[in-house]
Amino acid sequence: SNPTYILMYKSQDKPANAAHALKFFDWAFANGDKMADDLDYVPLPDSVKALVRKQWADQIKDAGGKAIAYK
């Protein structure tokens, strides 16, 4: 299988765009398990989703160093 990576700059000069991207990925994490299973993919474990969300909060910031709000 091929892993999927989400690549985003740590410092965002367009935080609204970054928030939209993170909202999409958060939606996919919350709603994509059945779709993944239907396509014969293995859904991400909840622990992995939680780790990714934590990394977003810890690492993806606006130009002032504030975490990007996506919820």
Side-chain angles (χ1 to χ4, degrees):
S1 70
N2 294 324
T4 300
Y5 297 97
I6 301 169
L7 301 175
M8 293 185 70
Y9 290 106
K10 288 184 178 183
S11 179
Q12 293 288 322
D13 61 347
K14 296 181 181 176
N17 292 352
H20 288 300
L22 294 177
K23 283 178 186 181
F24 168 76
F25 289 117
D26 187 58
W27 174 87
F29 285 174
N31 298 286
D33 287 353
K34 181 172 180 347
M35 287 182 262
D37 192 51
D38 289 346
L39 294 168
D40 292 328
Y41 287 95
V42 177
L44 289 174
D46 289 340
S47 60
V48 173
K49 294 175 196 178
L51 177 62
V52 171
R53 288 180 177 116
K54 182 180 182 326
Q55 288 179 337
W56 293 344
D58 292 347
Q59 296 183 17
I60 301 177
K61 313 283 184 178
D62 65 15
K66 184 178 175 185
I68 303 292
Y70 62 91
K71 289 193 175 201

